[in-house]
Amino acid sequence: MSLTDLLSPSDIAAALRDCQAPDSFSPKKFFQISGMSKKSSSQLKEIFRILDNDQSGFIEEDELKYFLQRFECGARVLTASETKTFLAAADHDGDGKIGAEGITCFKYR
């Protein structure tokens, strides 16, 4: 399964266009524009599985900086500030990584 099986390619493209400039990425806005915020919890968990590059069950900080590239190969890397902000918003237990429940929290924001 790929992200385009769950999200519209045009919505993904629009979300990536919205955050092209460094330090313009907002997880909440990205989730809204990409259509992720409209997905069920089970669909978000499937998206999480796809985004979890090493299939560890978590998205760690060094994986998170490449978050946009999981949607499109040529997308930019998140800045250190964006990565830390995203991690802080979704890392509920402070262990430095995001589990599937961390990603689903953006559905309700």
Side-chain angles (χ1 to χ4, degrees):
M1 182 172 283
S2 72
L3 288 170
T4 55
D5 292 330
L6 297 162
L7 301 170
S8 155
S10 62
D11 288 346
I12 291 171
L16 290 170
R17 273 193 310 276
D18 183 70
C19 62
Q20 282 182 335
D23 294 316
S24 65
F25 176 76
S26 161
K28 179 181 177 181
K29 194 171 181 186
F30 188 87
F31 275 58
Q32 290 170 341
I33 295 171
S34 70
M36 289 170 63
S37 62
K38 297 175 191 166
K39 299 300 175 187
S40 69
S41 292
S42 63
Q43 289 171 314
L44 283 173
K45 286 179 182 178
E46 182 60 25
I47 290 169
F48 175 86
R49 190 191 63 71
I50 295 167
L51 295 173
D52 179 12
N53 197 41
D54 64 3
Q55 299 299 296
S56 66
F58 298 96
I59 298 175
E60 294 87 6
E61 187 172 349
D62 39 321
E63 274 181 295
L64 193 58
K65 66 183 169 184
Y66 299 105
F67 178 80
L68 298 177
Q69 291 182 351
R70 301 296 292 155
F71 291 87
E72 181 182 280
C73 289
R76 72 178 181 85
V77 174
L78 294 179
T79 65
S81 174
E82 290 169 321
T83 303
K84 291 197 182 308
T85 300
F86 192 175
L87 186 61
D91 177 12
H92 298 295
D93 62 5
D95 65 356
K97 51 191 175 184
I98 302 169
E101 72 286 342
I103 290 292
T104 61
C105 76
F106 291 103
K107 176 180 174 66
Y108 306 106
R109 290 183 174 195

